[in-house]
Amino acid sequence: MSCNSPSGAHPPTTHQVIRKLALQEGAAALKALANAAGLEDQFERRAAIDAIGRHPHGRELRSIILRALRDPSEYVVRTACEVVAQWDLQEAHELVVALLANPSKATRQTAIRTLGTIWVDADFPTVFRIYNDASENEIRREAAWVLRQRAQSAHWRTLFDAFQVDELARHRQWACELAEKFSVPDILPVLSQLSSDVDGHVRKAAWRAIQTLSSR
């Protein structure tokens, strides 16, 4: 992977060459990217995975993206997750689920975010358990965000019950929004309590939900 340069000029780095390949059409560019994804240097592999994700025909190398989800480098794995999310690559689902148990907090957080894109209904218990049990606030918040985005009628009450007593005001606000979207009037007493919340955004969301439900 080399490139000629004018006399006296520094030759382009491998990273620069890889980034340029993302903009080049043709089988030769894809082959070069596939080769780069197997380089020894983890940061060059990461650059190759990123370039494959941005290449117009990068999906032809989706097997390399799937392989990268098992890479020994966390940097490569997280970049592969980002490509999976960008492509909505459903065939990566089980590999991404496996990353929820990764020792790296950053990788788990990225995996949760990616799962929110390639979500299936069966993911709810797994992500809800992470929200309940994770010791790191960043992980809990990521899980909560995905759960909020993927809330369905079958699970909204479970989320509401958890969010409405959460220490984070944003989650209590989400509880009110869920109630407004999915609820029946019998939840009004809980919303009445939330309308006196210490946080103004929660109070506003609770009152809006109360008004919506009362008008149904």
Side-chain angles (χ1 to χ4, degrees):
M1 189 175 295
S2 61
C3 181
N4 294 328
S5 60
S7 176
H10 293 291
T13 66
T14 303
H15 285 82
Q16 290 171 327
V17 173
I18 292 172
R19 283 195 293 270
K20 288 180 180 179
L21 287 170
L23 305 175
Q24 296 178 17
E25 298 279 354
L30 286 177
K31 183 177 180 180
L33 284 173
N35 291 336
L39 292 173
E40 183 177 354
D41 184 276
Q42 63 177 327
F43 298 107
E44 292 172 354
R45 295 200 307 277
R46 179 178 68 170
I49 296 302
D50 177 68
I52 290 170
R54 292 185 289 108
H55 194 280
H57 304 294
R59 286 177 181 267
E60 295 180 25
L61 301 179
R62 59 185 176 276
S63 63
I64 290 177
I65 301 301
L66 296 174
R67 185 181 70 198
L69 291 169
R70 299 189 182 98
D71 196 277
S73 167
E74 300 300 333
Y75 298 105
V76 176
V77 170
R78 290 195 287 270
T79 302
C81 281
E82 292 167 1
V83 175
V84 167
Q86 176 186 332
W87 289 356
D88 191 15
L89 191 61
Q90 296 292 331
E91 60 196 282
H93 183 269
E94 295 309 310
L95 292 170
V96 173
V97 169
L99 292 172
L100 297 177
N102 193 279
S104 165
K105 180 176 72 173
T107 299
R108 279 183 281 131
Q109 191 171 1
T110 302
I112 293 168
R113 189 180 312 125
T114 302
L115 197 61
T117 302
I118 56 173
W119 184 267
V120 297
D121 288 343
D123 293 327
F124 179 88
T126 301
V127 179
F128 186 73
R129 185 165 56 250
I130 292 172
Y131 162 73
N132 271 331
D133 299 342
S135 58
E136 306 97 332
N137 286 332
E138 297 90 341
I139 297 295
R140 290 190 69 250
R141 291 178 184 182
E142 196 70 57
W145 184 86
V146 168
L147 291 166
R148 170 68 182 93
Q149 294 300 112
R150 289 294 185 172
Q152 298 292 333
S153 57
H155 304 299
W156 82 267
R157 186 59 190 258
T158 300
L159 282 182
F160 175 85
D161 290 342
F163 284 174
Q164 61 106 357
V165 294
D166 198 294
E167 292 181 358
L168 192 65
R170 178 181 295 179
H171 295 170
R172 299 197 302 276
Q173 178 182 341
W174 289 349
C176 299
E177 292 169 358
L178 287 169
E180 181 179 8
K181 181 177 181 180
F182 293 107
S183 185
V184 290
D186 66 3
I187 207 167
L188 283 170
V190 181
L191 289 173
S192 179
Q193 293 177 2
L194 288 167
S195 69
S196 300
D197 195 273
V198 295
D199 183 88
H201 295 291
V202 177
R203 294 196 300 271
K204 183 177 180 180
W207 276 114
R208 185 168 58 244
I210 289 170
Q211 291 170 352
T212 299
L213 294 178
S214 298
S215 65
R216 286 177 182 170

